[in-house]
Amino acid sequence: MSKLLLKQIHACTVCSEYLPNPPRPTINFHPDAEIMIIGQAPGRLAHVNHKPWSDPSGNRLRSWLNVTPEEFYDARRFALIPMGFCYPGTDIKGGDFPPRSECAPLWHAKIRKQLKNLRLTLLVGQYSQKFYLGNKRKASMTETVNSYRDYLPNFLPLPHPSWRNTVWLKKHPWFESEVLPVLRQLIRSN
Ligand code: SF4
């Protein structure tokens, strides 16, 4: 990866006044990566560990992908780039604040330009779907995920694997029976 770009990202303070801690971009990528996973923003654990998806949501995401932690953190395979690179803090109900809106427009295109082998982008949750699919989204996140074939081969929309979506997963069994097998096949295909 471009050392200059990485240096610029790690020196970024653009939205620092809105963050609960000093900026700590939590990302992982290498220019060889074929699959980009775009989540929301690091949660508190991922922030403390300085490792994306090193939390229960990450465990669920890895089970969806059917990959081991070693495979998941192979930066030549997966680029782990959230919509907001720094932990945005938590509200009084225990949910994380949304990713900072300044971040993706500032960095994503620069990173994607470096990913010469990129073949698939997983849009995990509503924020990345809004940013990348815009008005091609359906009326709801559920419909967008259910219409995943409309966005292939470049994008695959997924719900966020947070505990907050456990009820959603129970209500929509087609996600596990239909979408996950397609996701796993796409992950494995070269
Ligand atoms: S969230 Fe993004 S824009 Fe804000 S300080 Fe961190 S790297 Fe910069």
Side-chain angles (χ1 to χ4, degrees), residues 126 129-130 133-152 157 174:
Q126 55 167 320
Q129 289 163 22
K130 186 175 178 192
L133 303 180
N135 59 14
K136 292 193 182 118
R137 282 174 303 155
K138 311 299 176 190
S140 67
M141 199 273 296
T142 301
E143 269 187 72
T144 302
V145 173
N146 203 7
S147 306
Y148 67 91
R149 290 187 193 281
D150 291 359
Y151 310 109
L152 292 173
W174 50 263

Side-chain angles (χ1 to χ4, degrees), residues 108-155:
H108 275 218
K110 290 176 185 163
I111 292 174
R112 287 173 73 83
K113 207 172 161 190
Q114 293 204 355
L115 304 180
K116 303 293 185 198
N117 298 329
L118 185 64
R119 63 178 173 85
L120 177 66
T121 299
L122 305 182
L123 302 173
V124 185
Q126 55 167 320
Y127 296 101
S128 57
Q129 289 163 22
K130 186 175 178 192
F131 189 76
Y132 280 91
L133 303 180
N135 59 14
K136 292 193 182 118
R137 282 174 303 155
K138 311 299 176 190
S140 67
M141 199 273 296
T142 301
E143 269 187 72
T144 302
V145 173
N146 203 7
S147 306
Y148 67 91
R149 290 187 193 281
D150 291 359
Y151 310 109
L152 292 173
N154 296 322
F155 296 103

Side-chain angles (χ1 to χ4, degrees), residues 46-57:
H47 165 77
V48 170
N49 298 334
H50 204 207
K51 191 173 183 182
W53 296 107
S54 56
D55 52 19
S57 291

Side-chain angles (χ1 to χ4, degrees), residues 9-184:
I9 292 172
H10 284 288
C12 180
T13 58
V14 163
C15 71
S16 60
E17 65 186 292
Y18 304 108
L19 301 173
N21 304 296
R24 195 178 201 208
T26 302
I27 58 177
N28 194 36
F29 74 98
H30 182 281
D32 289 350
E34 293 185 357
I35 297 166
M36 184 171 180
I37 300 179
I38 307 182
Q40 295 187 178
R44 192 185 53 78
L45 265 180
H47 165 77
V48 170
N49 298 334
H50 204 207
K51 191 173 183 182
W53 296 107
S54 56
D55 52 19
S57 291
N59 292 338
R60 182 179 265 165
L61 179 61
R62 286 182 282 279
S63 79
W64 287 356
L65 301 171
N66 197 25
V67 295
T68 64
E70 290 70 28
E71 290 171 315
F72 185 76
Y73 289 111
D74 178 355
R76 291 174 186 271
R77 201 160 166 205
F78 295 107
L80 308 178
I81 307 293
M83 289 298 290
F85 295 175
C86 303
Y87 172 55
T90 305
D91 64 27
I92 48 169
K93 289 183 184 164
D96 288 347
F97 284 125
R100 289 304 312 175
S101 58
E102 299 88 343
C103 200
L106 192 58
W107 298 116
H108 275 218
K110 290 176 185 163
I111 292 174
R112 287 173 73 83
K113 207 172 161 190
Q114 293 204 355
L115 304 180
K116 303 293 185 198
N117 298 329
L118 185 64
R119 63 178 173 85
L120 177 66
T121 299
L122 305 182
L123 302 173
V124 185
Q126 55 167 320
Y127 296 101
S128 57
Q129 289 163 22
K130 186 175 178 192
F131 189 76
Y132 280 91
L133 303 180
N135 59 14
K136 292 193 182 118
R137 282 174 303 155
K138 311 299 176 190
S140 67
M141 199 273 296
T142 301
E143 269 187 72
T144 302
V145 173
N146 203 7
S147 306
Y148 67 91
R149 290 187 193 281
D150 291 359
Y151 310 109
L152 292 173
N154 296 322
F155 296 103
L156 182 68
L158 298 171
H160 197 279
S162 154
W163 57 271
R164 288 178 165 260
N165 281 334
T166 300
V167 172
W168 185 94
L169 292 168
K170 282 194 181 141
K171 273 191 190 166
H172 303 98
W174 50 263
F175 175 72
E176 287 201 8
S177 62
E178 189 190 330
V179 184
L180 288 190
V182 172
L183 168 65
R184 289 168 183 163

